Amino acid sequence: MSDDTKTISILGVTGSIGSSTSKVILSAPEQFNVQNVTAHSNVDELAKKAIALRAKRAIISDEQYYNDLKTALSGTNIEVAAGKNSLIEFAEEPVDVTMAAVVGIAGLEPVMAAMKGSSAIAVANKEPLVSAGELVLDTAKKSGVKILPVDSEHNAIFQVLDEKRRNLIKRIILTASGGPFREYTLEQMVDITPQQAVKHPNWSMGAKISVDSATMMNKALEIIEAYYLFDMPANQIDVIIHPQSIIHSMVEYIDGSVLSQMGASDMCTPIAYALGWPNRIKTPGDTLDFQTISKLEFYEPDFERFRSLKLAYACLEKGQWACAAFNAANEVAVAAFLDGRIGFLDILRINEDTLEQTEKTELNDLNSVIEFDKLARDRAERYIHSLI
Ligand code: NDP
Ligand code: MG
């Protein structure tokens, strides 16, 4: 093992980000020593990844799968654990970097636990940053934990933002592909099915974020994510549609210089940047081929067809509680849409209704966030019942 070997735990190793993270690690195995890998219920994939990555321990958060995981890993020396409490307990173990790649608010408690033992946390899992950005960033600061943004837009900004000269930044510009329904009219959107919504034109991702990209809630969540990650006022965060997804975001400085990061639509690059930070490591993923790029287009987003973007700024004006209510409602709405219980455009309605019906609440610790998240979810579920 070389001197710069990093110990790493991967929360959500079986997902899309977890798989790209595994690919990055397996392409430079001498640079990483894998401690814990986790999943919720996908035993076979968890066992496969734990073996391939030579992990010390595999943890399945749904405890009913404990015996299945034990069987799948019998004959190996990989330790096995199960249950949400185990996930949180082992997330606290000291490592150089934790990759936070669980989907949804379910990742909040593991991320907060990782603050206790990790030197750095690579955060792909945007929902905890939306619901509890103040708490997460504040705890990281107090504990001396480095937060490394993985979401491609935020990773791009992280690469080009001059942290020491923040007063020279005019604004940050998040790029958005516009998703698969960029050119649909509102009438055409009515009949969009879950099968259509999970097919993104440029990126291959998990189901929830694919639907979020289709509604552009993903960009709304990312505006809030940027606000907390970079401590940037809402009026200095802009969005531009860039269908090719080659420029992953930009920072404009007061002298008119615009710095951007470019790359293929492959999460291996931002993941490699986060895992290698402050150095760079080779990516096993796609790289840009300039010969095949015929054009780079940019459009103003349509805030009427994609009201989700307006919602993000409205939430930021109200405060952390509104961002948390929005995230909770959106998770409930996306799950209901994927289950075929509601239509595509209902997702926005559920988010807007929940935001109207929840009241300002101080969210200054983990318990208050968890309780408020539950309250907003109940509210969103009630609205769904009123629709069906
Ligand atoms: P996936 O749905 O592909 O994977 C989610 C992972 O989380 C799986 O390992 C899953 O385990 C685990 N998980 C699900 N529910 C729970 C739970 N209740 N408790 C513990 N673990 C759970 O998601 P993605 O990889 O697409 O996304 C992960 C996060 O990264 C999201 O927040 C997303 O917004 C963000 N992100 C993703 C990008 C992408 O390209 N995919 C790009 C930028 C950000 P199991 O397989 O067992 O269900
Ligand atoms: Mg993104």
Side-chain angles (χ1 to χ4, degrees):
M1 234 176 268
S2 72
D3 274 356
D4 29 320
T5 302
K6 286 184 178 173
T7 48
I8 176 167
S9 286
I10 309 166
L11 312 176
V13 75
T14 49
S16 163
I17 293 288
S19 297
S20 297
T21 303
S22 306
K23 207 166 137 189
V24 170
I25 292 172
L26 289 172
S27 75
E30 70 294 345
Q31 296 189 40
F32 298 98
N33 188 2
V34 180
Q35 179 88 357
N36 296 314
V37 288
T38 84
H40 188 57
S41 59
N42 191 344
V43 170
D44 292 346
E45 192 57 30
L46 176 60
K48 213 168 103 189
K49 290 261 165 55
I51 293 167
L53 293 164
R54 299 166 183 264
K56 181 177 175 216
R57 186 180 297 108
I59 303 151
I60 191 97
S61 48
D62 188 338
E63 57 196 352
Q64 63 171 310
Y65 297 107
Y66 176 74
N67 284 333
D68 294 343
L69 185 61
K70 195 124 187 86
T71 309
L73 289 173
S74 64
T76 73
N77 55 7
I78 300 168
E79 292 172 31
V80 170
K84 189 179 154 190
N85 291 343
S86 295
L87 168 64
I88 290 168
E89 182 191 330
F90 289 119
E92 290 179 4
E93 282 189 341
V95 283
D96 292 314
V97 51
T98 291
M99 167 57 77
V102 166
V103 62
I105 197 69
L108 174 61
E109 285 179 83
V111 163
M112 292 302 287
M115 299 274 183
K116 297 185 181 159
S118 301
S119 304
I121 306 181
V123 186
N125 186 194
K126 66 189 79 181
E127 293 87 352
L129 292 173
V130 173
S131 291
E134 282 174 12
L135 177 70
V136 171
L137 273 296
D138 199 42
T139 310
K141 206 167 168 187
K142 285 187 185 138
S143 334
V145 177
K146 181 76 188 167
I147 299 290
L148 302 163
V150 173
D151 206 349
S152 58
E153 296 76 2
H154 306 73
N155 185 270
I157 293 164
F158 182 58
Q159 294 198 35
V160 297
L161 185 140
D162 188 347
E163 194 53 60
K164 294 200 187 81
R165 292 179 193 79
R166 295 182 57 96
N167 57 327
L168 304 181
I169 297 168
K170 190 172 168 201
R171 59 178 180 146
I172 62 179
I173 307 162
L174 300 172
T175 51
S177 71
F181 311 121
R182 179 168 53 90
E183 289 174 343
Y184 274 42
T185 62
L186 281 170
E187 275 141 35
Q188 286 173 306
M189 288 186 201
V190 172
D191 298 321
I192 290 169
T193 64
Q195 291 72 21
Q196 289 172 306
V198 295
K199 278 202 198 108
H200 194 278
N202 303 348
W203 300 91
S204 153
M205 309 181 287
K208 196 249 169 188
I209 185 174
S210 297
V211 174
D212 285 343
S213 299
T215 53
M216 287 200 72
M217 289 298 171
N218 183 48
K219 211 49 57 181
L221 297 171
E222 289 184 354
I223 292 169
I224 300 171
E225 184 184 7
Y227 172 89
Y228 288 117
L229 272 178
F230 304 115
D231 195 14
M232 190 61 64
N235 64 5
Q236 284 177 260
I237 306 173
D238 286 333
V239 172
I240 190 103
I241 305 290
H242 167 45
Q244 290 79 19
S245 300
I246 288 171
I247 292 182
H248 295 303
S249 281
M250 305 175 250
V251 176
E252 183 178 336
Y253 289 88
I254 54 168
D255 62 1
S257 299
V258 178
L259 270 60
S260 72
Q261 182 262 356
M262 296 195 267
S265 311
D266 189 325
M267 286 307 293
C268 284
T269 295
I271 290 169
Y273 186 79
L275 299 192
W277 187 88
N279 298 317
R280 287 186 188 265
I281 56 177
K282 275 189 191 162
T283 176
D286 295 341
T287 50
L288 272 189
D289 175 4
F290 284 94
Q291 309 272 352
T292 61
I293 302 170
S294 56
K295 56 184 174 185
L296 295 178
E297 294 167 298
F298 303 94
Y299 308 106
E300 280 299 313
D302 183 338
F303 284 78
E304 294 312 315
R305 277 185 309 131
F306 293 102
R307 289 214 304 274
S308 40
L309 297 174
K310 276 190 186 166
L311 206 60
Y313 292 105
C315 288
L316 286 177
E317 216 176 302
K318 289 177 199 254
Q320 177 72 87
W321 66 274
C323 301
F326 164 44
N327 181 68
N330 189 51
E331 286 193 31
V332 168
V334 171
F337 171 69
L338 286 170
D339 283 350
R341 292 165 62 210
I342 58 166
F344 184 76
L345 290 177
D346 292 331
I347 298 175
L348 177 73
R349 290 190 194 112
I350 292 159
N351 284 325
E352 289 179 336
D353 178 78
T354 308
L355 210 55
E356 264 170 38
Q357 302 298 331
T358 37
E359 281 168 20
K360 184 173 177 179
T361 308
E362 288 301 325
L363 301 181
N364 36 27
D365 59 17
L366 186 56
N367 281 342
S368 57
V369 177
I370 294 169
E371 270 173 38
F372 185 75
D373 174 77
K374 192 174 173 317
L375 188 129
R377 276 167 195 274
D378 290 347
R379 179 73 235 172
E381 281 294 356
R382 276 207 296 280
Y383 185 72
I384 291 174
H385 281 294
S386 76
L387 289 177
I388 48 186

